[in-house]
Amino acid sequence: MSEFVKRIGEWCTAIIETTGVVLIAVLALYTLLFAAFRLYNHADAEEVFRDTRQRLGRGILLGLELFIAADVIHSAVVEVNFETVGVLAIIIVIRTFLSFSLEVELNGRWPWQNRE
């Protein structure tokens, strides 16, 4: 693989990872400010708590998806060998487990279960 393609892959990976970090940080800040505003306006504290958890969880899930995409690009373009593919597989398994755990925590069901 050419050096140019590797450099493009490195840049894409860095941009996607940075986007994931910024997205999580911005959504967390927005969520906390929105919750504070609602509490200031005398909203039900329990409802604000549930809504805040939902919004934070969604932001983290979106960020995790971006991190997985960056890892795939990095492993496929920048470093192609059995070791990096194995590390990628482990990272994807861990992040997928985190995503499923967050989904269950947020919605009370597995992603493949029907909504009732």
Side-chain angles (χ1 to χ4, degrees):
M1 199 167 292
S2 73
E3 190 63 32
F4 177 73
V5 172
K6 286 183 180 183
R7 300 281 287 186
I8 295 293
E10 289 172 352
W11 276 97
C12 288
T13 300
I15 289 169
I16 293 171
E17 285 177 342
T18 303
T19 302
V21 169
V22 169
L23 184 72
I24 290 172
V26 167
L27 287 174
L29 182 62
Y30 168 77
T31 299
L32 294 175
L33 290 174
F34 186 68
F37 177 76
R38 287 181 62 197
L39 286 173
Y40 179 76
N41 287 329
H42 308 294
D44 179 40
E46 189 68 31
E47 180 184 332
V48 171
F49 175 74
R50 275 194 307 269
D51 186 49
T52 301
R53 284 186 68 207
Q54 291 282 324
R55 288 174 190 262
L56 282 173
R58 288 185 196 123
I60 293 169
L61 281 172
L62 190 56
L64 279 173
E65 296 298 327
L66 288 172
F67 294 149
I68 290 173
D71 288 336
V72 169
I73 290 171
H74 185 266
S75 294
V77 175
V78 177
E79 295 181 45
V80 182
N81 59 42
F82 284 114
E83 183 178 338
T84 58
V85 171
V87 170
L88 173 65
I90 292 168
I91 289 171
I92 288 177
V93 167
I94 291 169
R95 289 190 176 159
T96 302
F97 175 75
L98 288 173
S99 295
F100 282 156
S101 297
L102 278 170
E103 183 76 26
V104 169
E105 182 71 25
L106 293 173
N107 298 323
R109 61 178 173 75
W110 292 105
W112 55 83
Q113 289 178 323
N114 292 330
R115 291 183 181 213
E116 293 178 3

